[in-house]
Amino acid sequence: MSKTEISIETPDGAARAYKFTPEGQGPWPAVIFYMDALAIRPALFEMCERLASHGYFVLLPDMFWRLGPYPPMIAEKVFNDDALKQELFGKYMPSTNPERVVRDTGAFLAYLARDPQVSGSAVGVTGYCMGGGMALRAAGEYPDRVVAAGAFHGGRLATDEPNSPHLLAPKIKAKVLVGGADKDGSFPPEQAERLKAALDAAGVDNEVTIYPGALHGYAPPDMPVYNHEAAERHWRELLALFDAALKA
């Protein structure tokens, strides 16, 4: 397994990112891994290494790169410290937005098209928490590249806002898998229903489900609400999605 820190030129500057490759000789199909709000840290490296071990070139971009270097966030500390929570919601998360995500993703896709370790032009995407919306946005804005999109305990996927991810459904060509969290205020049942209806109406091959008993943040292993059963279900379903779309 190989992990390498890289820099990717975007229209707004140089973005920090990491690439993970399996053992052996490539090239391999590529996946973009969109981080959750706690950003780049060992738990995400662990997840990307696991995904790469199944035969994928995994790109983990730092979506907060515009802020410059920052220390890894520790989930337990952040959620128990009001000052750290304020910094997360008031400084880190506002450093990106839908328009920046689209510009950044275009640069990431261009990078993948140039890297000789990547096979083909088809790409999979997966995202967690805020990254779930980024994954759906990537599928909608780059339909000729993104063939499979996963979103897990994603929030605000089908809101009344004019840039809500579900409004991109008519543009999506990828197969979409959404694994929502149970009793999640950022993705309540009405949003799940709205997202499902939009994808169905657009003819998108999709599955929108809620994982029973799994709370927002169930997948990363360092989260206080980590749920092993739900996390393993997410891995089974995500790998099946990517294997069918990228390895068939």
Side-chain angles (χ1 to χ4, degrees):
M1 185 67 57
S2 173
K3 173 173 74 74
T4 306
E5 183 173 351
I6 59 175
S7 179
I8 298 177
E9 285 299 324
T10 80
D12 300 335
R16 179 176 67 143
Y18 295 84
K19 67 177 182 179
F20 301 78
T21 55
E23 298 291 344
Q25 291 294 113
W28 304 275
V31 170
I32 300 175
F33 186 111
Y34 289 101
M35 66 191 204
D36 60 3
L38 290 184
I40 304 300
R41 61 194 193 280
L44 297 194
F45 294 158
E46 179 183 330
M47 294 177 74
C48 289
E49 288 169 353
R50 179 168 176 175
L51 184 53
S53 74
H54 287 272
Y56 293 100
F57 179 111
V58 181
L59 182 68
L60 171 65
D62 180 0
M63 303 308 292
F64 297 156
W65 66 266
R66 290 171 177 83
L67 295 175
Y70 54 86
M73 299 186 202
I74 300 173
E76 190 171 0
K77 287 186 177 180
V78 170
F79 295 126
N80 289 286
D81 186 313
D82 289 340
L84 291 176
K85 281 193 290 187
Q86 178 58 39
E87 186 174 34
L88 174 63
F89 292 110
K91 175 183 176 182
Y92 286 91
M93 293 181 68
S95 71
T96 189
N97 59 37
E99 293 74 25
R100 288 175 172 177
V101 168
V102 172
R103 291 199 299 273
D104 288 353
T105 296
F108 304 153
L109 291 170
Y111 169 83
L112 293 174
R114 296 190 302 267
D115 195 305
Q117 291 182 298
V118 173
S119 63
S121 61
V123 172
V125 295
T126 185
Y128 304 81
C129 179
M130 70 174 193
M134 295 177 182
L136 294 182
R137 199 170 301 281
E141 297 290 355
Y142 298 97
D144 293 331
R145 295 290 305 279
V146 178
V147 299
F152 300 94
H153 50 82
R156 305 186 64 77
L157 302 182
T159 70
D160 294 328
E161 296 173 5
N163 58 5
S164 175
H166 80 287
L167 297 176
L168 293 168
K171 299 169 64 176
I172 293 175
K173 298 178 182 178
K175 182 171 182 179
V176 172
L177 169 64
V178 176
D182 201 3
K183 300 180 180 64
D184 184 352
S186 68
F187 190 59
E190 55 268 26
Q191 280 197 43
E193 293 167 4
R194 179 184 289 181
L195 176 60
K196 175 68 175 172
L199 293 170
D200 286 346
V204 176
D205 186 357
N206 75 92
E207 183 177 353
V208 178
T209 60
I210 301 297
Y211 287 11
L215 303 180
H216 185 87
Y218 62 75
D222 64 337
M223 293 292 283
V225 295
Y226 171 73
N227 183 308
H228 179 76
E229 181 179 353
E232 289 303 309
R233 175 182 172 182
H234 131 268
W235 281 115
R236 291 192 301 271
E237 295 182 354
L238 180 64
L239 290 169
L241 172 73
F242 286 162
D243 288 351
L246 297 169
K247 291 184 178 180

